[in-house]
Amino acid sequence: MTAQEPTIVATSGGHRVGGRTRVVFDALVHRAVDLSGVHGRRPRIMYVGTAAGDAEHVTARMTEAARVAGFDLTPLQLFPMPNVEDVEGSVLDHDVVWVAGGSVVNLLAVWRAHGLDRIMHRAWQAGVVLSGVSAGSICWFQGGATDSFGPRLRPVTDALGFLPYGNGVHYDSDAGRRPLIHRLVADGTLPAAHCTDDGVGLVYRGTELVEAVTEIPGRSAYLVARDGTRAVEERIEPRRLTSPGR
């Protein structure tokens, strides 16, 4: 049922507008499912919308996207209380966890209040594929750049730290993110950072980056490292994934 090694798929994508539905799962979500190794039954996806306050309309769209993709989706909601009796057992009963975007700062606070940070670590070690977009990417790293505090981007440095790097999301579509990530790496606020343009994902086995993939042609991933008192950026050419239905 589970991946052979602890696996994380950290992305700036995974969704697109559907033809008959508001949202469909794009190639990055399907790649996370493939990496789980599930076969012979419908994949089981746990959707975690904490970063968006467990917004019911978003959960409904994700549920419909899962139906179209042939997945069984269970939402894990923490507002106003957990919607399942056994949170850890429920997480471990799934093949993939997909974490939505929104406020990574609020996500971290709520997860820690409920012990979900520790549960996610145990699920990762057990072979459940951890994945997500934007806040659902940054949360797995040491930290990154966030608009959780307001329109001006600020650093977050106390993320879960499963992956010992910084993380930059929406690297091409939000002009402030690249210079802030460079500054945070250059001054040592963040360790070397792994960054993604919209539509790009990074695949980790354990804590090793093993692949960059994209559902949108022409997009890239990047490594930002410290060199003395400055940051240097290296582009990574991602492998193109086939988007279902395109």
Side-chain angles (χ1 to χ4, degrees):
M1 179 187 92
T2 53
Q4 295 182 353
E5 300 176 73
T7 302
I8 290 176
V9 183
T11 87
S12 290
H15 315 137
R16 59 182 169 85
V17 176
R20 295 181 180 274
T21 60
R22 292 291 295 273
V23 177
V24 294
F25 287 143
D26 213 337
L28 291 171
V29 177
H30 287 266
R31 181 59 180 149
V33 171
D34 291 343
L35 288 167
S36 75
V38 62
H39 61 276
R41 59 168 174 79
R42 289 167 63 92
R44 292 195 289 265
I45 312 299
M46 172 157 279
Y47 167 72
V48 186
T50 317
D54 289 338
E56 292 183 4
H57 71 284
V58 181
T59 300
R61 291 173 185 173
M62 294 299 105
T63 301
E64 182 70 358
R67 183 192 64 78
V68 172
F71 305 154
D72 290 335
L73 182 142
T74 302
L76 176 61
Q77 299 170 340
L78 299 178
F79 295 95
M81 65 181 72
N83 63 327
V84 294
E85 182 70 27
D86 179 5
V87 174
E88 181 170 355
S90 186
V91 172
L92 289 169
D93 194 42
H94 287 77
D95 306 300
V96 174
V97 170
W98 180 262
V99 181
S103 172
V104 69
V105 170
N106 291 351
L107 174 154
L108 292 168
V110 174
W111 281 16
R112 285 170 172 145
H114 289 273
L116 190 56
D117 53 337
R118 298 186 297 274
I119 290 171
M120 289 296 190
H121 191 270
R122 290 192 285 271
W124 178 52
Q125 293 292 310
V128 178
V129 175
L130 304 183
S131 57
V133 54
S134 195
S137 173
I138 297 170
C139 65
W140 312 120
F141 292 82
Q142 294 286 335
T146 180
D147 56 6
S148 297
F149 300 105
R152 181 175 64 87
L153 291 168
R154 291 170 56 180
V156 57
T157 59
D158 63 343
L160 299 181
F162 299 176
L163 300 173
Y165 319 104
N167 182 223
V169 296
H170 308 306
Y171 210 58
D172 59 335
S173 61
D174 187 338
R177 291 184 185 267
R178 177 181 256 118
L180 179 54
I181 290 292
H182 276 232
R183 178 173 66 80
L184 296 173
V185 171
D187 67 15
T189 301
L190 287 178
H194 298 177
C195 307
T196 51
D197 287 343
D198 286 354
V200 177
L202 301 170
V203 178
Y204 297 84
R205 295 291 197 183
T207 60
E208 180 184 0
L209 174 62
V210 296
E211 186 178 34
V213 290
T214 183
E215 58 199 12
I216 302 176
R219 305 295 171 86
S220 297
Y222 309 86
L223 300 181
V224 180
R226 187 179 185 185
D227 182 9
T229 59
R230 67 190 184 102
V232 294
E233 181 179 288
E234 175 187 353
R235 182 177 180 272
I236 302 173
E237 181 66 32
R239 179 173 65 87
R240 176 73 191 279
L241 299 173
T242 300
S243 295
R246 283 187 173 175

